[in-house]
Amino acid sequence: MALKSFRPLTPAQRFKSLPAFEEITKSKPEKSLVETKKRTGGRNNRGRLTMRHIGGGHKQKYRSIDFKRKKHGVEAEVIGIEYDPNRTARIALIQYTDGEKSYILAPVGLVVGAKVSSGDNAEPKPGNALPLKSIPLGTSIHNVELTPGRGGQIARSAGQQVILNNREAGYALVKMPSGEIRKINENAYATIGQVGNVDHMNISSGKAGRSRWQGVRPTVRGMAMNPIDHPMGGGQGKSKGGGGRHHPMSPWGQLSKGFKTRKKHKSSDTFIVERRKSKKKVK
């Protein structure tokens, strides 16, 4: 995927860089795989605001993605690469030999006309889904299941990939995008390749209006508020929270820098072999 830049004729165009959409081959989604999507505006069933900075935005319809790839041993052909407004990755429309159609995440290198399949005997090439026990070590994978049969949960956004490092005692050791090394059941399925749209992280919208189109409302800094509205508010001039140095926190007093929010004794700790950042093995 390539990005396109603009001549700096206006302040909004000076730093703007947007996707060129060169890989898109199909403009309209498959009707049978589209569902309506309800907007909440960040409010719960009582109308109370529970998630800030959400509201407005262009209408979207949800594309039903096949994260499970349960149709084993049946070959499918890629008939289109599409844009999905609900995710950063591109999606591929595939059609099986029996006529059924479905959407999958489009990995790097998947083009129209390519053949994809899933199952123990599938070839380890981009777009094919295999159990971790059948994938060669050192392979880049995405859409990885945490529990066999539940569907892919790991590495589903643009440019993400997981590396299969090793296998031992019925588990596969995979290196997460964060650097964490984790044990996953070797019967869990994963898709070969890196998720496409790799340059998504380099996109610069150029103006605030583009965020509003995506349903993102403005965010006001806590330091710019009054003390009654935020713990970091108030003070004379540009003070760091009420005239003295104040540790960054949320409006409700939750520390926001350096404070660990993960539970000390979580059941999934036993599956983490090496933490991110610390690079120390978990005993």
Side-chain angles (χ1 to χ4, degrees), residues 261-278:
T261 56
R262 183 181 172 89
K263 293 180 181 178
K264 289 185 178 180
H265 306 287
K266 200 169 183 179
S267 58
S268 61
D269 284 349
T270 57
F271 298 106
I272 299 175
V273 178
E274 187 175 301
R275 296 280 188 186
R276 65 187 184 95
K277 294 185 180 179
S278 65

Side-chain angles (χ1 to χ4, degrees), residues 174-193:
V174 299
K175 187 173 183 180
M176 301 290 193
S178 64
E180 176 182 291
I181 297 179
R182 185 187 178 98
K183 291 194 296 186
I184 299 177
N185 192 310
E186 64 177 9
N187 293 315
Y189 267 70
T191 309
I192 305 295

Side-chain angles (χ1 to χ4, degrees), residues 168-217:
E168 58 180 28
Y171 287 95
L173 272 61
V174 299
K175 187 173 183 180
M176 301 290 193
S178 64
E180 176 182 291
I181 297 179
R182 185 187 178 98
K183 291 194 296 186
I184 299 177
N185 192 310
E186 64 177 9
N187 293 315
Y189 267 70
T191 309
I192 305 295
Q194 180 183 8
V195 183
N197 196 17
V198 178
D199 285 332
H200 174 77
M201 62 179 294
N202 298 320
I203 290 175
S204 176
S205 63
K207 61 180 183 179
R210 193 170 300 276
S211 295
R212 301 305 300 267
W213 299 342
Q214 295 172 349
V216 180
R217 297 193 70 242

Side-chain angles (χ1 to χ4, degrees), residues 71-181:
K71 202 154 186 169
H72 299 166
V74 184
E75 197 174 59
E77 181 182 356
V78 179
I79 59 178
I81 307 293
E82 298 183 19
Y83 167 81
D84 189 347
N86 304 289
R87 63 191 72 251
T88 57
R90 305 289 180 243
I91 57 177
L93 179 64
I94 61 175
Q95 184 172 14
Y96 292 94
T97 51
D98 59 3
E100 183 182 347
K101 294 180 180 179
S102 67
Y103 279 124
I104 64 171
L105 299 178
V108 175
L110 193 70
V111 295
V112 174
K115 305 290 185 179
V116 295
S117 61
S118 62
D120 292 0
N121 300 320
E123 185 182 350
K125 65 178 185 179
N128 286 359
L130 295 83
L132 291 172
K133 63 183 178 182
S134 302
I135 300 176
L137 298 181
T139 304
S140 295
I141 54 179
H142 68 277
N143 191 37
V144 186
E145 290 182 333
L146 276 175
T147 304
R150 181 178 290 179
Q153 296 175 269
I154 301 173
R156 303 195 320 194
S157 60
Q160 293 294 304
Q161 63 178 337
V162 169
I163 306 297
L164 179 60
N165 279 355
N166 200 0
R167 278 188 289 266
E168 58 180 28
Y171 287 95
L173 272 61
V174 299
K175 187 173 183 180
M176 301 290 193
S178 64
E180 176 182 291
I181 297 179

Side-chain angles (χ1 to χ4, degrees), residues 55-68:
H58 199 286
K59 288 184 178 179
Q60 299 172 342
K61 288 194 174 182
Y62 181 75
R63 279 78 165 161
S64 183
I65 311 295
D66 181 15
F67 293 116
K68 294 186 177 182

